[in-house]
Short mmCIF file of all heavy atoms in Angstrom, two decimals:
data_model
loop_
_atom_site.label_atom_id
_atom_site.label_comp_id
_atom_site.label_asym_id
_atom_site.label_seq_id
_atom_site.Cartn_x
_atom_site.Cartn_y
_atom_site.Cartn_z
N ILE K 284 13.17 1.66 -3.21
CA ILE K 284 11.71 1.68 -3.05
C ILE K 284 11.05 1.95 -4.42
O ILE K 284 10.05 1.33 -4.76
CB ILE K 284 11.30 2.76 -2.04
CG1 ILE K 284 11.95 2.49 -0.68
CG2 ILE K 284 9.77 2.81 -1.89
CD1 ILE K 284 11.54 1.25 -0.02
N ILE K 285 11.63 2.88 -5.17
CA ILE K 285 11.09 3.13 -6.52
C ILE K 285 11.13 1.87 -7.37
O ILE K 285 10.18 1.51 -8.06
CB ILE K 285 11.88 4.28 -7.21
CG1 ILE K 285 11.68 5.60 -6.47
CG2 ILE K 285 11.45 4.41 -8.65
CD1 ILE K 285 12.58 6.71 -6.96
N TYR K 286 12.27 1.19 -7.32
CA TYR K 286 12.47 -0.01 -8.14
C TYR K 286 11.44 -1.08 -7.79
O TYR K 286 10.95 -1.78 -8.69
CB TYR K 286 13.90 -0.55 -7.90
CG TYR K 286 14.21 -1.76 -8.74
CD1 TYR K 286 14.65 -1.63 -10.03
CD2 TYR K 286 14.06 -3.05 -8.19
CE1 TYR K 286 14.94 -2.76 -10.82
CE2 TYR K 286 14.35 -4.17 -8.94
CZ TYR K 286 14.78 -4.01 -10.25
OH TYR K 286 15.04 -5.11 -10.99
N THR K 287 11.11 -1.24 -6.53
CA THR K 287 10.20 -2.31 -6.15
C THR K 287 8.72 -1.96 -6.35
O THR K 287 7.89 -2.83 -6.28
CB THR K 287 10.44 -2.68 -4.66
OG1 THR K 287 9.86 -3.97 -4.41
CG2 THR K 287 9.81 -1.68 -3.74
N THR K 288 8.44 -0.69 -6.63
CA THR K 288 7.04 -0.27 -6.80
C THR K 288 6.67 0.02 -8.24
O THR K 288 5.53 -0.21 -8.65
CB THR K 288 6.75 0.99 -5.97
OG1 THR K 288 7.63 2.05 -6.41
CG2 THR K 288 6.94 0.74 -4.50
N ILE K 289 7.60 0.49 -9.04
CA ILE K 289 7.25 1.03 -10.33
C ILE K 289 6.68 -0.02 -11.28
O ILE K 289 5.72 0.23 -12.03
CB ILE K 289 8.48 1.72 -11.00
CG1 ILE K 289 8.08 2.43 -12.29
CG2 ILE K 289 9.61 0.74 -11.21
CD1 ILE K 289 9.19 3.31 -12.86
N PHE K 290 7.20 -1.24 -11.24
CA PHE K 290 6.78 -2.25 -12.20
C PHE K 290 5.36 -2.73 -11.91
O PHE K 290 4.63 -3.09 -12.86
CB PHE K 290 7.76 -3.43 -12.22
CG PHE K 290 9.16 -3.03 -12.57
CD1 PHE K 290 10.20 -3.11 -11.65
CD2 PHE K 290 9.45 -2.51 -13.82
CE1 PHE K 290 11.46 -2.74 -11.97
CE2 PHE K 290 10.73 -2.10 -14.16
CZ PHE K 290 11.76 -2.21 -13.23
N ILE K 291 4.97 -2.77 -10.66
CA ILE K 291 3.60 -3.17 -10.31
C ILE K 291 2.62 -2.13 -10.88
O ILE K 291 1.57 -2.49 -11.45
CB ILE K 291 3.44 -3.29 -8.79
CG1 ILE K 291 4.36 -4.37 -8.26
CG2 ILE K 291 2.00 -3.61 -8.43
CD1 ILE K 291 4.34 -4.52 -6.78
N VAL K 292 2.94 -0.87 -10.73
CA VAL K 292 2.07 0.18 -11.27
C VAL K 292 2.02 0.13 -12.78
O VAL K 292 0.95 0.25 -13.38
CB VAL K 292 2.55 1.57 -10.76
CG1 VAL K 292 1.69 2.66 -11.36
CG2 VAL K 292 2.55 1.64 -9.24
N ILE K 293 3.15 -0.10 -13.42
CA ILE K 293 3.21 -0.17 -14.89
C ILE K 293 2.32 -1.29 -15.39
O ILE K 293 1.45 -1.11 -16.28
CB ILE K 293 4.64 -0.38 -15.38
CG1 ILE K 293 5.47 0.89 -15.15
CG2 ILE K 293 4.65 -0.75 -16.84
CD1 ILE K 293 6.95 0.73 -15.49
N LEU K 294 2.46 -2.48 -14.83
CA LEU K 294 1.74 -3.65 -15.33
C LEU K 294 0.24 -3.52 -15.07
O LEU K 294 -0.58 -3.89 -15.94
CB LEU K 294 2.27 -4.93 -14.66
CG LEU K 294 3.70 -5.31 -15.06
CD1 LEU K 294 4.18 -6.51 -14.25
CD2 LEU K 294 3.79 -5.62 -16.55
N ASN K 295 -0.15 -3.02 -13.93
CA ASN K 295 -1.57 -2.86 -13.65
C ASN K 295 -2.20 -1.79 -14.52
O ASN K 295 -3.33 -1.95 -15.00
CB ASN K 295 -1.80 -2.51 -12.17
CG ASN K 295 -1.83 -3.75 -11.29
OD1 ASN K 295 -2.87 -4.32 -11.05
ND2 ASN K 295 -0.68 -4.14 -10.80
N THR K 296 -1.48 -0.72 -14.75
CA THR K 296 -2.00 0.36 -15.63
C THR K 296 -2.14 -0.14 -17.04
O THR K 296 -3.17 0.10 -17.70
CB THR K 296 -1.08 1.59 -15.58
OG1 THR K 296 -0.93 2.01 -14.21
CG2 THR K 296 -1.66 2.70 -16.40
N ALA K 297 -1.13 -0.83 -17.57
CA ALA K 297 -1.20 -1.36 -18.92
C ALA K 297 -2.33 -2.37 -19.05
O ALA K 297 -3.04 -2.40 -20.07
CB ALA K 297 0.14 -2.01 -19.29
N ALA K 298 -2.54 -3.22 -18.03
CA ALA K 298 -3.63 -4.17 -18.06
C ALA K 298 -4.98 -3.47 -18.09
O ALA K 298 -5.94 -3.93 -18.73
CB ALA K 298 -3.54 -5.10 -16.87
N GLY K 299 -5.06 -2.33 -17.36
CA GLY K 299 -6.33 -1.58 -17.35
C GLY K 299 -6.65 -1.02 -18.74
O GLY K 299 -7.81 -1.08 -19.17
N VAL K 300 -5.65 -0.51 -19.42
CA VAL K 300 -5.89 0.03 -20.76
C VAL K 300 -6.28 -1.09 -21.71
O VAL K 300 -7.19 -0.95 -22.54
CB VAL K 300 -4.62 0.75 -21.29
CG1 VAL K 300 -4.85 1.24 -22.72
CG2 VAL K 300 -4.29 1.93 -20.38
N ALA K 301 -5.62 -2.22 -21.59
CA ALA K 301 -5.91 -3.35 -22.49
C ALA K 301 -7.29 -3.96 -22.25
O ALA K 301 -7.85 -4.61 -23.14
CB ALA K 301 -4.84 -4.43 -22.32
N SER K 302 -7.84 -3.73 -21.06
CA SER K 302 -9.13 -4.37 -20.73
C SER K 302 -10.34 -3.50 -21.13
O SER K 302 -11.47 -3.92 -20.92
CB SER K 302 -9.20 -4.61 -19.21
OG SER K 302 -9.26 -3.36 -18.51
N ILE K 303 -10.09 -2.34 -21.71
CA ILE K 303 -11.20 -1.48 -22.13
C ILE K 303 -11.97 -2.16 -23.24
O ILE K 303 -11.40 -2.63 -24.22
CB ILE K 303 -10.68 -0.10 -22.58
CG1 ILE K 303 -9.95 0.60 -21.44
CG2 ILE K 303 -11.83 0.79 -23.09
CD1 ILE K 303 -9.26 1.87 -21.86
N ALA K 304 -13.29 -2.17 -23.11
CA ALA K 304 -14.12 -2.83 -24.14
C ALA K 304 -14.02 -2.03 -25.44
O ALA K 304 -14.22 -0.81 -25.45
CB ALA K 304 -15.57 -2.89 -23.66
N PRO K 305 -13.75 -2.70 -26.56
CA PRO K 305 -13.64 -1.99 -27.85
C PRO K 305 -14.92 -1.25 -28.23
O PRO K 305 -14.86 -0.22 -28.90
CB PRO K 305 -13.34 -3.13 -28.84
CG PRO K 305 -12.75 -4.22 -28.01
CD PRO K 305 -13.41 -4.11 -26.68
N ASN K 306 -16.07 -1.76 -27.77
CA ASN K 306 -17.34 -1.12 -28.12
C ASN K 306 -17.40 0.32 -27.56
O ASN K 306 -17.98 1.20 -28.19
CB ASN K 306 -18.51 -1.92 -27.58
CG ASN K 306 -18.69 -3.24 -28.31
OD1 ASN K 306 -18.22 -3.35 -29.45
ND2 ASN K 306 -19.33 -4.19 -27.69
N LYS K 307 -16.79 0.51 -26.38
CA LYS K 307 -16.79 1.86 -25.80
C LYS K 307 -15.99 2.83 -26.66
O LYS K 307 -16.41 3.96 -26.89
CB LYS K 307 -16.22 1.80 -24.37
CG LYS K 307 -17.09 1.08 -23.37
CD LYS K 307 -16.47 1.16 -21.97
CE LYS K 307 -17.36 0.48 -20.95
NZ LYS K 307 -16.78 0.57 -19.57
N LEU K 308 -14.87 2.37 -27.13
CA LEU K 308 -14.03 3.23 -27.99
C LEU K 308 -14.70 3.50 -29.32
O LEU K 308 -14.67 4.62 -29.82
CB LEU K 308 -12.64 2.58 -28.17
CG LEU K 308 -11.81 2.36 -26.89
CD1 LEU K 308 -10.54 1.60 -27.22
CD2 LEU K 308 -11.48 3.69 -26.25
N ARG K 309 -15.33 2.47 -29.89
CA ARG K 309 -16.01 2.66 -31.15
C ARG K 309 -17.20 3.60 -31.01
O ARG K 309 -17.44 4.43 -31.90
CB ARG K 309 -16.47 1.31 -31.70
CG ARG K 309 -15.33 0.51 -32.36
CD ARG K 309 -15.88 -0.61 -33.23
NE ARG K 309 -16.55 -1.62 -32.43
CZ ARG K 309 -15.94 -2.73 -31.99
NH1 ARG K 309 -14.66 -2.95 -32.25
NH2 ARG K 309 -16.61 -3.63 -31.29
N ALA K 310 -17.92 3.48 -29.90
CA ALA K 310 -19.05 4.37 -29.67
C ALA K 310 -18.60 5.81 -29.56
O ALA K 310 -19.22 6.73 -30.12
CB ALA K 310 -19.80 3.95 -28.42
N ALA K 311 -17.49 6.05 -28.83
CA ALA K 311 -16.96 7.40 -28.70
C ALA K 311 -16.50 7.94 -30.05
O ALA K 311 -16.70 9.10 -30.38
CB ALA K 311 -15.81 7.43 -27.71
N GLN K 312 -15.93 7.05 -30.86
CA GLN K 312 -15.45 7.47 -32.18
C GLN K 312 -16.63 7.81 -33.10
O GLN K 312 -16.58 8.78 -33.85
CB GLN K 312 -14.63 6.35 -32.80
CG GLN K 312 -13.89 6.74 -34.07
CD GLN K 312 -12.97 5.64 -34.56
OE1 GLN K 312 -13.09 4.51 -34.16
NE2 GLN K 312 -12.03 5.99 -35.43
N VAL K 313 -17.70 7.02 -33.00
CA VAL K 313 -18.89 7.29 -33.83
C VAL K 313 -19.51 8.65 -33.42
O VAL K 313 -20.04 9.38 -34.30
CB VAL K 313 -19.92 6.16 -33.66
CG1 VAL K 313 -21.27 6.54 -34.27
CG2 VAL K 313 -19.39 4.88 -34.33
N LEU K 314 -19.45 8.97 -32.16
CA LEU K 314 -20.00 10.24 -31.68
C LEU K 314 -19.12 11.43 -31.99
O LEU K 314 -19.44 12.56 -31.61
CB LEU K 314 -20.26 10.17 -30.17
CG LEU K 314 -21.36 9.18 -29.73
CD1 LEU K 314 -21.40 9.06 -28.22
CD2 LEU K 314 -22.72 9.63 -30.27
N GLY K 315 -18.00 11.19 -32.66
CA GLY K 315 -17.16 12.29 -33.11
C GLY K 315 -16.02 12.65 -32.19
O GLY K 315 -15.40 13.71 -32.32
N ALA K 316 -15.73 11.82 -31.21
CA ALA K 316 -14.64 12.10 -30.26
C ALA K 316 -13.29 11.99 -30.95
O ALA K 316 -13.05 11.08 -31.74
CB ALA K 316 -14.71 11.17 -29.06
N THR K 317 -12.39 12.90 -30.62
CA THR K 317 -11.02 12.82 -31.13
C THR K 317 -10.24 11.77 -30.31
O THR K 317 -10.72 11.28 -29.29
CB THR K 317 -10.32 14.18 -31.00
OG1 THR K 317 -10.25 14.54 -29.62
CG2 THR K 317 -11.13 15.24 -31.74
N ARG K 318 -9.06 11.43 -30.76
CA ARG K 318 -8.24 10.45 -30.01
C ARG K 318 -7.93 10.95 -28.61
O ARG K 318 -7.92 10.17 -27.65
CB ARG K 318 -6.95 10.16 -30.78
CG ARG K 318 -7.13 9.40 -32.07
CD ARG K 318 -5.79 9.09 -32.73
NE ARG K 318 -4.97 8.25 -31.89
CZ ARG K 318 -5.03 6.90 -31.89
NH1 ARG K 318 -5.87 6.28 -32.67
NH2 ARG K 318 -4.20 6.23 -31.11
N TRP K 319 -7.67 12.25 -28.48
CA TRP K 319 -7.39 12.82 -27.16
C TRP K 319 -8.62 12.74 -26.28
O TRP K 319 -8.53 12.40 -25.10
CB TRP K 319 -6.91 14.25 -27.32
CG TRP K 319 -6.61 14.92 -25.99
CD1 TRP K 319 -7.31 15.94 -25.42
CD2 TRP K 319 -5.54 14.60 -25.11
NE1 TRP K 319 -6.74 16.28 -24.22
CE2 TRP K 319 -5.63 15.49 -24.02
CE3 TRP K 319 -4.49 13.69 -25.13
CZ2 TRP K 319 -4.76 15.46 -22.95
CZ3 TRP K 319 -3.61 13.66 -24.07
CH2 TRP K 319 -3.73 14.54 -23.01
N GLN K 320 -9.80 13.05 -26.84
CA GLN K 320 -11.04 12.95 -26.04
C GLN K 320 -11.35 11.51 -25.68
O GLN K 320 -11.82 11.26 -24.56
CB GLN K 320 -12.18 13.56 -26.84
CG GLN K 320 -12.14 15.09 -26.98
CD GLN K 320 -13.20 15.62 -27.89
OE1 GLN K 320 -13.58 14.99 -28.88
NE2 GLN K 320 -13.70 16.82 -27.58
N MET K 321 -11.10 10.60 -26.57
CA MET K 321 -11.31 9.18 -26.27
C MET K 321 -10.41 8.74 -25.11
O MET K 321 -10.82 7.95 -24.24
CB MET K 321 -11.04 8.33 -27.51
CG MET K 321 -12.11 8.49 -28.61
SD MET K 321 -11.61 7.71 -30.17
CE MET K 321 -11.38 6.02 -29.68
N PHE K 322 -9.18 9.25 -25.10
CA PHE K 322 -8.25 8.90 -24.04
C PHE K 322 -8.70 9.47 -22.69
O PHE K 322 -8.76 8.77 -21.66
CB PHE K 322 -6.84 9.37 -24.37
CG PHE K 322 -5.86 9.16 -23.27
CD1 PHE K 322 -5.32 7.90 -23.03
CD2 PHE K 322 -5.44 10.23 -22.46
CE1 PHE K 322 -4.42 7.71 -22.00
CE2 PHE K 322 -4.54 10.03 -21.43
CZ PHE K 322 -4.02 8.76 -21.21
N ILE K 323 -9.06 10.78 -22.69
CA ILE K 323 -9.41 11.47 -21.44
C ILE K 323 -10.77 11.00 -20.92
O ILE K 323 -10.93 10.78 -19.69
CB ILE K 323 -9.42 13.00 -21.65
CG1 ILE K 323 -8.00 13.48 -21.99
CG2 ILE K 323 -9.97 13.71 -20.43
CD1 ILE K 323 -7.00 13.28 -20.86
N LEU K 324 -11.75 10.82 -21.81
CA LEU K 324 -13.13 10.57 -21.38
C LEU K 324 -13.49 9.09 -21.30
O LEU K 324 -14.47 8.74 -20.61
CB LEU K 324 -14.11 11.29 -22.32
CG LEU K 324 -13.97 12.80 -22.44
CD1 LEU K 324 -14.95 13.36 -23.45
CD2 LEU K 324 -14.16 13.46 -21.08
N VAL K 325 -12.74 8.24 -21.99
CA VAL K 325 -13.07 6.81 -21.99
C VAL K 325 -11.97 5.96 -21.39
O VAL K 325 -12.17 5.23 -20.42
CB VAL K 325 -13.40 6.34 -23.43
CG1 VAL K 325 -13.74 4.87 -23.43
CG2 VAL K 325 -14.54 7.15 -24.02
N ALA K 326 -10.77 6.07 -21.98
CA ALA K 326 -9.67 5.17 -21.57
C ALA K 326 -9.23 5.44 -20.15
O ALA K 326 -9.07 4.49 -19.36
CB ALA K 326 -8.52 5.30 -22.56
N LEU K 327 -8.95 6.68 -19.84
CA LEU K 327 -8.40 7.00 -18.52
C LEU K 327 -9.36 6.66 -17.38
O LEU K 327 -8.94 6.01 -16.41
CB LEU K 327 -7.98 8.48 -18.47
CG LEU K 327 -7.18 8.90 -17.24
CD1 LEU K 327 -5.91 8.05 -17.13
CD2 LEU K 327 -6.81 10.36 -17.31
N PRO K 328 -10.66 7.05 -17.45
CA PRO K 328 -11.55 6.65 -16.37
C PRO K 328 -11.68 5.13 -16.22
O PRO K 328 -11.78 4.63 -15.09
CB PRO K 328 -12.91 7.27 -16.79
CG PRO K 328 -12.53 8.41 -17.65
CD PRO K 328 -11.31 7.97 -18.41
N ALA K 329 -11.67 4.39 -17.33
CA ALA K 329 -11.78 2.94 -17.25
C ALA K 329 -10.53 2.31 -16.63
O ALA K 329 -10.57 1.20 -16.11
CB ALA K 329 -12.02 2.36 -18.65
N THR K 330 -9.41 3.02 -16.70
CA THR K 330 -8.14 2.50 -16.19
C THR K 330 -7.93 2.83 -14.73
O THR K 330 -7.08 2.21 -14.07
CB THR K 330 -6.96 3.05 -17.04
OG1 THR K 330 -7.27 2.86 -18.42
CG2 THR K 330 -5.67 2.34 -16.73
N VAL K 331 -8.66 3.79 -14.20
CA VAL K 331 -8.44 4.25 -12.82
C VAL K 331 -8.49 3.12 -11.81
O VAL K 331 -7.63 3.03 -10.93
CB VAL K 331 -9.46 5.37 -12.46
CG1 VAL K 331 -9.47 5.61 -10.97
CG2 VAL K 331 -9.12 6.65 -13.19
N PRO K 332 -9.46 2.17 -11.85
CA PRO K 332 -9.45 1.08 -10.87
C PRO K 332 -8.16 0.28 -10.89
O PRO K 332 -7.63 -0.13 -9.85
CB PRO K 332 -10.66 0.23 -11.29
CG PRO K 332 -11.55 1.15 -12.02
CD PRO K 332 -10.63 2.10 -12.74
N PHE K 333 -7.63 0.03 -12.10
CA PHE K 333 -6.37 -0.74 -12.22
C PHE K 333 -5.20 0.07 -11.68
O PHE K 333 -4.31 -0.49 -11.05
CB PHE K 333 -6.14 -1.13 -13.68
CG PHE K 333 -7.13 -2.10 -14.22
CD1 PHE K 333 -8.36 -1.67 -14.72
CD2 PHE K 333 -6.87 -3.47 -14.22
CE1 PHE K 333 -9.28 -2.57 -15.23
CE2 PHE K 333 -7.78 -4.36 -14.72
CZ PHE K 333 -8.99 -3.92 -15.23
N ILE K 334 -5.20 1.37 -11.96
CA ILE K 334 -4.10 2.21 -11.45
C ILE K 334 -4.10 2.22 -9.92
O ILE K 334 -3.05 2.05 -9.28
CB ILE K 334 -4.25 3.67 -11.99
CG1 ILE K 334 -4.04 3.68 -13.51
CG2 ILE K 334 -3.26 4.58 -11.32
CD1 ILE K 334 -4.30 5.03 -14.17
N LEU K 335 -5.26 2.42 -9.31
CA LEU K 335 -5.33 2.49 -7.87
C LEU K 335 -5.02 1.14 -7.22
O LEU K 335 -4.36 1.10 -6.18
CB LEU K 335 -6.74 2.94 -7.46
CG LEU K 335 -7.11 4.37 -7.88
CD1 LEU K 335 -8.55 4.68 -7.50
CD2 LEU K 335 -6.18 5.38 -7.25
N THR K 336 -5.44 0.06 -7.85
CA THR K 336 -5.09 -1.25 -7.33
C THR K 336 -3.58 -1.47 -7.41
O THR K 336 -2.96 -2.02 -6.49
CB THR K 336 -5.81 -2.34 -8.10
OG1 THR K 336 -7.23 -2.15 -7.98
CG2 THR K 336 -5.46 -3.73 -7.57
#
Side-chain angles (χ1 to χ4, degrees):
I284 302 296
I285 295 172
Y286 181 84
T287 197
T288 59
I289 187 171
F290 301 115
I291 298 177
V292 178
I293 290 174
L294 292 175
N295 276 271
T296 303
V300 177
S302 68
I303 300 173
N306 291 338
K307 292 183 178 181
L308 297 175
R309 282 197 293 266
Q312 190 174 17
V313 168
L314 293 173
T317 63
R318 290 183 62 87
W319 180 249
Q320 288 174 326
M321 290 169 59
F322 174 77
I323 295 296
L324 301 177
V325 180
L327 190 57
T330 311
V331 166
F333 293 84
I334 294 174
L335 295 176
T336 300

